[in-house]
Amino acid sequence: ALITRIYQMEVERINFLLKSYLRIRLKKIEKHVVHILSTDEMVTRLSSQEVEFASQYLDILEKHFTKSFLRHLPEQYSSMDDKEMVIKPNLEEYVFCQAQTNVGSV
């Protein structure tokens, strides 16, 4: 019974870690959706479900912004396609851990 409980706790811990990882990944996709979908290299890093999520999220975001305030701005400012306004991720920042030693290609 004790061994079974220990295994169950380990499964729950792994489950929690995986869900946390996926929540953080979706949060980053939401934060940088315009940059991700405009860069082929970034799109190839996503799964097909993540690409679908990002596309749908961007559509919803554009519709919301247009209805809320973009339609009231002058023409040159009423688009989300301006390269200067795109938030780019810091690719030098650690995701969730830092390797202690270089082990080559993993």
mmCIF file of all heavy atoms in Angstrom, residues 40-71:
data_model
loop_
_atom_site.group_PDB
_atom_site.id
_atom_site.type_symbol
_atom_site.label_atom_id
_atom_site.label_comp_id
_atom_site.label_asym_id
_atom_site.label_seq_id
_atom_site.Cartn_x
_atom_site.Cartn_y
_atom_site.Cartn_z
ATOM 1 N N ASP A 40 8.463 31.957 -40.174
ATOM 2 C CA ASP A 40 8.356 30.534 -40.529
ATOM 3 C C ASP A 40 9.122 29.640 -39.565
ATOM 4 O O ASP A 40 8.673 28.551 -39.221
ATOM 5 C CB ASP A 40 8.857 30.303 -41.958
ATOM 6 C CG ASP A 40 7.919 30.881 -43.001
ATOM 7 O OD1 ASP A 40 6.723 31.065 -42.676
ATOM 8 O OD2 ASP A 40 8.373 31.153 -44.123
ATOM 9 N N GLU A 41 10.299 30.094 -39.145
ATOM 10 C CA GLU A 41 11.108 29.296 -38.219
ATOM 11 C C GLU A 41 10.365 29.041 -36.907
ATOM 12 O O GLU A 41 10.413 27.937 -36.356
ATOM 13 C CB GLU A 41 12.434 30.004 -37.925
ATOM 14 C CG GLU A 41 13.307 29.257 -36.946
ATOM 15 C CD GLU A 41 14.520 30.049 -36.507
ATOM 16 O OE1 GLU A 41 14.791 31.123 -37.074
ATOM 17 O OE2 GLU A 41 15.195 29.585 -35.578
ATOM 18 N N MET A 42 9.661 30.056 -36.417
ATOM 19 C CA MET A 42 8.923 29.905 -35.164
ATOM 20 C C MET A 42 7.710 28.996 -35.345
ATOM 21 O O MET A 42 7.387 28.212 -34.458
ATOM 22 C CB MET A 42 8.480 31.270 -34.643
ATOM 23 C CG MET A 42 9.624 32.216 -34.335
ATOM 24 S SD MET A 42 10.705 31.630 -33.046
ATOM 25 C CE MET A 42 9.838 32.210 -31.627
ATOM 26 N N VAL A 43 7.054 29.082 -36.486
ATOM 27 C CA VAL A 43 5.873 28.244 -36.742
ATOM 28 C C VAL A 43 6.274 26.771 -36.762
ATOM 29 O O VAL A 43 5.534 25.919 -36.260
ATOM 30 C CB VAL A 43 5.173 28.652 -38.049
ATOM 31 C CG1 VAL A 43 4.086 27.659 -38.434
ATOM 32 C CG2 VAL A 43 4.591 30.045 -37.926
ATOM 33 N N THR A 44 7.453 26.463 -37.315
ATOM 34 C CA THR A 44 7.877 25.058 -37.386
ATOM 35 C C THR A 44 8.158 24.467 -36.003
ATOM 36 O O THR A 44 8.180 23.252 -35.859
ATOM 37 C CB THR A 44 9.135 24.899 -38.262
ATOM 38 O OG1 THR A 44 10.193 25.686 -37.708
ATOM 39 C CG2 THR A 44 8.872 25.326 -39.691
ATOM 40 N N ARG A 45 8.335 25.313 -35.002
ATOM 41 C CA ARG A 45 8.580 24.833 -33.636
ATOM 42 C C ARG A 45 7.294 24.437 -32.913
ATOM 43 O O ARG A 45 7.338 23.844 -31.844
ATOM 44 C CB ARG A 45 9.294 25.901 -32.817
ATOM 45 C CG ARG A 45 10.678 26.219 -33.323
ATOM 46 C CD ARG A 45 11.308 27.288 -32.483
ATOM 47 N NE ARG A 45 12.611 27.662 -33.006
ATOM 48 C CZ ARG A 45 13.401 28.536 -32.430
ATOM 49 N NH1 ARG A 45 13.024 29.125 -31.320
ATOM 50 N NH2 ARG A 45 14.576 28.817 -32.956
ATOM 51 N N LEU A 46 6.150 24.788 -33.493
ATOM 52 C CA LEU A 46 4.865 24.508 -32.859
ATOM 53 C C LEU A 46 4.258 23.222 -33.400
ATOM 54 O O LEU A 46 4.490 22.857 -34.554
ATOM 55 C CB LEU A 46 3.884 25.652 -33.110
ATOM 56 C CG LEU A 46 4.277 27.047 -32.644
ATOM 57 C CD1 LEU A 46 3.190 28.040 -33.010
ATOM 58 C CD2 LEU A 46 4.548 27.074 -31.162
ATOM 59 N N SER A 47 3.457 22.575 -32.578
ATOM 60 C CA SER A 47 2.688 21.426 -33.052
ATOM 61 C C SER A 47 1.527 21.944 -33.904
ATOM 62 O O SER A 47 1.223 23.139 -33.896
ATOM 63 C CB SER A 47 2.161 20.620 -31.865
ATOM 64 O OG SER A 47 1.161 21.356 -31.183
ATOM 65 N N SER A 48 0.871 21.049 -34.614
ATOM 66 C CA SER A 48 -0.248 21.476 -35.458
ATOM 67 C C SER A 48 -1.386 22.056 -34.611
ATOM 68 O O SER A 48 -2.024 23.023 -35.015
ATOM 69 C CB SER A 48 -0.755 20.307 -36.302
ATOM 70 O OG SER A 48 -1.173 19.245 -35.471
ATOM 71 N N GLN A 49 -1.599 21.502 -33.417
ATOM 72 C CA GLN A 49 -2.635 22.030 -32.531
ATOM 73 C C GLN A 49 -2.268 23.417 -32.035
ATOM 74 O O GLN A 49 -3.132 24.290 -31.901
ATOM 75 C CB GLN A 49 -2.866 21.102 -31.328
ATOM 76 C CG GLN A 49 -3.463 19.767 -31.682
ATOM 77 C CD GLN A 49 -2.391 18.704 -31.937
ATOM 78 O OE1 GLN A 49 -1.200 18.994 -31.985
ATOM 79 N NE2 GLN A 49 -2.818 17.474 -32.107
ATOM 80 N N GLU A 50 -0.983 23.650 -31.764
ATOM 81 C CA GLU A 50 -0.541 24.968 -31.304
ATOM 82 C C GLU A 50 -0.648 26.000 -32.417
ATOM 83 O O GLU A 50 -1.027 27.151 -32.154
ATOM 84 C CB GLU A 50 0.890 24.892 -30.778
ATOM 85 C CG GLU A 50 1.011 24.159 -29.472
ATOM 86 C CD GLU A 50 2.439 23.901 -29.054
ATOM 87 O OE1 GLU A 50 3.334 23.809 -29.928
ATOM 88 O OE2 GLU A 50 2.680 23.784 -27.839
ATOM 89 N N VAL A 51 -0.353 25.610 -33.648
ATOM 90 C CA VAL A 51 -0.504 26.528 -34.783
ATOM 91 C C VAL A 51 -1.973 26.899 -34.955
ATOM 92 O O VAL A 51 -2.307 28.075 -35.156
ATOM 93 C CB VAL A 51 0.063 25.914 -36.082
ATOM 94 C CG1 VAL A 51 -0.286 26.774 -37.290
ATOM 95 C CG2 VAL A 51 1.560 25.713 -35.980
ATOM 96 N N GLU A 52 -2.852 25.915 -34.835
ATOM 97 C CA GLU A 52 -4.289 26.188 -34.939
ATOM 98 C C GLU A 52 -4.740 27.117 -33.814
ATOM 99 O O GLU A 52 -5.484 28.073 -34.046
ATOM 100 C CB GLU A 52 -5.072 24.879 -34.893
ATOM 101 C CG GLU A 52 -6.555 25.052 -35.048
ATOM 102 C CD GLU A 52 -7.304 23.733 -35.003
ATOM 103 O OE1 GLU A 52 -6.680 22.670 -35.166
ATOM 104 O OE2 GLU A 52 -8.532 23.783 -34.799
ATOM 105 N N PHE A 53 -4.290 26.854 -32.584
ATOM 106 C CA PHE A 53 -4.630 27.710 -31.450
ATOM 107 C C PHE A 53 -4.142 29.132 -31.683
ATOM 108 O O PHE A 53 -4.886 30.096 -31.481
ATOM 109 C CB PHE A 53 -4.004 27.146 -30.162
ATOM 110 C CG PHE A 53 -4.085 28.086 -29.002
ATOM 111 C CD1 PHE A 53 -5.259 28.228 -28.285
ATOM 112 C CD2 PHE A 53 -2.985 28.849 -28.622
ATOM 113 C CE1 PHE A 53 -5.340 29.105 -27.207
ATOM 114 C CE2 PHE A 53 -3.050 29.724 -27.555
ATOM 115 C CZ PHE A 53 -4.231 29.858 -26.845
ATOM 116 N N ALA A 54 -2.879 29.273 -32.119
ATOM 117 C CA ALA A 54 -2.300 30.600 -32.340
ATOM 118 C C ALA A 54 -3.070 31.355 -33.427
ATOM 119 O O ALA A 54 -3.348 32.552 -33.275
ATOM 120 C CB ALA A 54 -0.826 30.477 -32.709
ATOM 121 N N SER A 55 -3.422 30.676 -34.498
ATOM 122 C CA SER A 55 -4.169 31.326 -35.587
ATOM 123 C C SER A 55 -5.538 31.800 -35.110
ATOM 124 O O SER A 55 -5.945 32.932 -35.389
ATOM 125 C CB SER A 55 -4.345 30.368 -36.759
ATOM 126 O OG SER A 55 -3.103 30.004 -37.279
ATOM 127 N N GLN A 56 -6.238 30.934 -34.402
ATOM 128 C CA GLN A 56 -7.551 31.312 -33.885
ATOM 129 C C GLN A 56 -7.438 32.430 -32.858
ATOM 130 O O GLN A 56 -8.255 33.354 -32.843
ATOM 131 C CB GLN A 56 -8.252 30.098 -33.272
ATOM 132 C CG GLN A 56 -8.667 29.071 -34.293
ATOM 133 C CD GLN A 56 -9.269 27.828 -33.649
ATOM 134 O OE1 GLN A 56 -9.306 27.695 -32.436
ATOM 135 N NE2 GLN A 56 -9.744 26.910 -34.478
ATOM 136 N N TYR A 57 -6.419 32.364 -32.009
ATOM 137 C CA TYR A 57 -6.227 33.402 -31.000
ATOM 138 C C TYR A 57 -5.950 34.744 -31.661
ATOM 139 O O TYR A 57 -6.507 35.769 -31.255
ATOM 140 C CB TYR A 57 -5.067 33.016 -30.070
ATOM 141 C CG TYR A 57 -4.805 34.028 -28.996
ATOM 142 C CD1 TYR A 57 -5.612 34.095 -27.859
ATOM 143 C CD2 TYR A 57 -3.749 34.928 -29.096
ATOM 144 C CE1 TYR A 57 -5.385 35.040 -26.869
ATOM 145 C CE2 TYR A 57 -3.511 35.866 -28.107
ATOM 146 C CZ TYR A 57 -4.330 35.911 -27.000
ATOM 147 O OH TYR A 57 -4.100 36.839 -26.017
ATOM 148 N N LEU A 58 -5.107 34.756 -32.697
ATOM 149 C CA LEU A 58 -4.800 36.002 -33.395
ATOM 150 C C LEU A 58 -6.040 36.571 -34.083
ATOM 151 O O LEU A 58 -6.268 37.781 -34.047
ATOM 152 C CB LEU A 58 -3.672 35.799 -34.402
ATOM 153 C CG LEU A 58 -3.207 37.045 -35.141
ATOM 154 C CD1 LEU A 58 -2.705 38.103 -34.160
ATOM 155 C CD2 LEU A 58 -2.136 36.703 -36.145
ATOM 156 N N ASP A 59 -6.850 35.709 -34.687
ATOM 157 C CA ASP A 59 -8.093 36.177 -35.318
ATOM 158 C C ASP A 59 -9.007 36.844 -34.291
ATOM 159 O O ASP A 59 -9.542 37.930 -34.534
ATOM 160 C CB ASP A 59 -8.838 35.015 -35.983
ATOM 161 C CG ASP A 59 -8.152 34.520 -37.238
ATOM 162 O OD1 ASP A 59 -7.313 35.257 -37.791
ATOM 163 O OD2 ASP A 59 -8.456 33.389 -37.664
ATOM 164 N N ILE A 60 -9.179 36.195 -33.156
ATOM 165 C CA ILE A 60 -10.032 36.747 -32.100
ATOM 166 C C ILE A 60 -9.459 38.064 -31.582
ATOM 167 O O ILE A 60 -10.191 39.033 -31.371
ATOM 168 C CB ILE A 60 -10.192 35.721 -30.954
ATOM 169 C CG1 ILE A 60 -11.025 34.534 -31.437
ATOM 170 C CG2 ILE A 60 -10.822 36.362 -29.729
ATOM 171 C CD1 ILE A 60 -11.019 33.359 -30.478
ATOM 172 N N LEU A 61 -8.147 38.108 -31.392
ATOM 173 C CA LEU A 61 -7.490 39.312 -30.891
ATOM 174 C C LEU A 61 -7.647 40.477 -31.871
ATOM 175 O O LEU A 61 -7.969 41.597 -31.461
ATOM 176 C CB LEU A 61 -6.010 39.014 -30.651
ATOM 177 C CG LEU A 61 -5.215 39.970 -29.797
ATOM 178 C CD1 LEU A 61 -5.751 39.989 -28.369
ATOM 179 C CD2 LEU A 61 -3.749 39.561 -29.785
ATOM 180 N N GLU A 62 -7.453 40.212 -33.161
ATOM 181 C CA GLU A 62 -7.602 41.261 -34.170
ATOM 182 C C GLU A 62 -9.038 41.781 -34.221
ATOM 183 O O GLU A 62 -9.263 42.989 -34.324
ATOM 184 C CB GLU A 62 -7.174 40.747 -35.545
ATOM 185 C CG GLU A 62 -5.671 40.624 -35.697
ATOM 186 C CD GLU A 62 -5.260 40.063 -37.051
ATOM 187 O OE1 GLU A 62 -6.065 39.354 -37.688
ATOM 188 O OE2 GLU A 62 -4.116 40.324 -37.447
ATOM 189 N N LYS A 63 -10.002 40.869 -34.154
ATOM 190 C CA LYS A 63 -11.407 41.301 -34.159
ATOM 191 C C LYS A 63 -11.722 42.157 -32.939
ATOM 192 O O LYS A 63 -12.386 43.189 -33.044
ATOM 193 C CB LYS A 63 -12.336 40.090 -34.199
ATOM 194 C CG LYS A 63 -12.361 39.381 -35.525
ATOM 195 C CD LYS A 63 -13.237 38.149 -35.469
ATOM 196 C CE LYS A 63 -13.157 37.369 -36.768
ATOM 197 N NZ LYS A 63 -13.895 36.096 -36.671
ATOM 198 N N HIS A 64 -11.234 41.730 -31.792
ATOM 199 C CA HIS A 64 -11.476 42.487 -30.560
ATOM 200 C C HIS A 64 -10.848 43.877 -30.631
ATOM 201 O O HIS A 64 -11.486 44.878 -30.304
ATOM 202 C CB HIS A 64 -10.941 41.721 -29.358
ATOM 203 C CG HIS A 64 -10.961 42.504 -28.083
ATOM 204 N ND1 HIS A 64 -12.137 42.883 -27.460
ATOM 205 C CD2 HIS A 64 -9.952 43.007 -27.331
ATOM 206 C CE1 HIS A 64 -11.848 43.572 -26.373
ATOM 207 N NE2 HIS A 64 -10.531 43.661 -26.275
ATOM 208 N N PHE A 65 -9.579 43.938 -31.050
ATOM 209 C CA PHE A 65 -8.894 45.230 -31.138
ATOM 210 C C PHE A 65 -9.557 46.141 -32.159
ATOM 211 O O PHE A 65 -9.675 47.345 -31.940
ATOM 212 C CB PHE A 65 -7.422 45.042 -31.477
ATOM 213 C CG PHE A 65 -6.579 44.541 -30.337
ATOM 214 C CD1 PHE A 65 -5.266 44.169 -30.561
ATOM 215 C CD2 PHE A 65 -7.069 44.444 -29.047
ATOM 216 C CE1 PHE A 65 -4.472 43.720 -29.525
ATOM 217 C CE2 PHE A 65 -6.290 43.990 -28.010
ATOM 218 C CZ PHE A 65 -4.977 43.625 -28.242
ATOM 219 N N THR A 66 -9.993 45.577 -33.268
ATOM 220 C CA THR A 66 -10.650 46.380 -34.303
ATOM 221 C C THR A 66 -11.956 46.962 -33.767
ATOM 222 O O THR A 66 -12.213 48.163 -33.925
ATOM 223 C CB THR A 66 -10.914 45.542 -35.560
ATOM 224 O OG1 THR A 66 -9.662 45.062 -36.057
ATOM 225 C CG2 THR A 66 -11.600 46.369 -36.629
ATOM 226 N N LYS A 67 -12.752 46.134 -33.118
ATOM 227 C CA LYS A 67 -14.027 46.616 -32.577
ATOM 228 C C LYS A 67 -13.815 47.594 -31.428
ATOM 229 O O LYS A 67 -14.602 48.529 -31.251
ATOM 230 C CB LYS A 67 -14.879 45.444 -32.097
ATOM 231 C CG LYS A 67 -15.476 44.636 -33.215
ATOM 232 C CD LYS A 67 -16.344 43.521 -32.667
ATOM 233 C CE LYS A 67 -16.944 42.699 -33.780
ATOM 234 N NZ LYS A 67 -17.774 41.599 -33.258
ATOM 235 N N SER A 68 -12.773 47.383 -30.647
ATOM 236 C CA SER A 68 -12.548 48.217 -29.462
ATOM 237 C C SER A 68 -11.950 49.580 -29.793
ATOM 238 O O SER A 68 -12.446 50.598 -29.336
ATOM 239 C CB SER A 68 -11.636 47.505 -28.471
ATOM 240 O OG SER A 68 -12.225 46.318 -28.019
ATOM 241 N N PHE A 69 -10.863 49.582 -30.573
ATOM 242 C CA PHE A 69 -10.196 50.877 -30.766
ATOM 243 C C PHE A 69 -9.510 51.066 -32.114
ATOM 244 O O PHE A 69 -9.344 52.201 -32.554
ATOM 245 C CB PHE A 69 -9.166 51.119 -29.649
ATOM 246 C CG PHE A 69 -8.076 50.102 -29.585
ATOM 247 C CD1 PHE A 69 -6.903 50.260 -30.304
ATOM 248 C CD2 PHE A 69 -8.206 48.982 -28.787
ATOM 249 C CE1 PHE A 69 -5.899 49.337 -30.240
ATOM 250 C CE2 PHE A 69 -7.201 48.045 -28.710
ATOM 251 C CZ PHE A 69 -6.043 48.213 -29.436
ATOM 252 N N LEU A 70 -9.110 50.035 -32.820
ATOM 253 C CA LEU A 70 -8.361 50.228 -34.067
ATOM 254 C C LEU A 70 -9.175 50.959 -35.134
ATOM 255 O O LEU A 70 -8.621 51.738 -35.905
ATOM 256 C CB LEU A 70 -7.873 48.884 -34.625
ATOM 257 C CG LEU A 70 -6.718 48.235 -33.889
ATOM 258 C CD1 LEU A 70 -6.365 46.901 -34.529
ATOM 259 C CD2 LEU A 70 -5.501 49.141 -33.844
ATOM 260 N N ARG A 71 -10.465 50.751 -35.173
ATOM 261 C CA ARG A 71 -11.286 51.414 -36.193
ATOM 262 C C ARG A 71 -11.397 52.916 -35.956
ATOM 263 O O ARG A 71 -11.759 53.665 -36.850
ATOM 264 C CB ARG A 71 -12.666 50.782 -36.265
ATOM 265 C CG ARG A 71 -13.457 50.921 -34.997
ATOM 266 C CD ARG A 71 -14.742 50.137 -35.073
ATOM 267 N NE ARG A 71 -15.343 50.103 -33.752
ATOM 268 C CZ ARG A 71 -16.616 50.287 -33.520
ATOM 269 N NH1 ARG A 71 -17.439 50.508 -34.517
ATOM 270 N NH2 ARG A 71 -17.080 50.236 -32.301
#
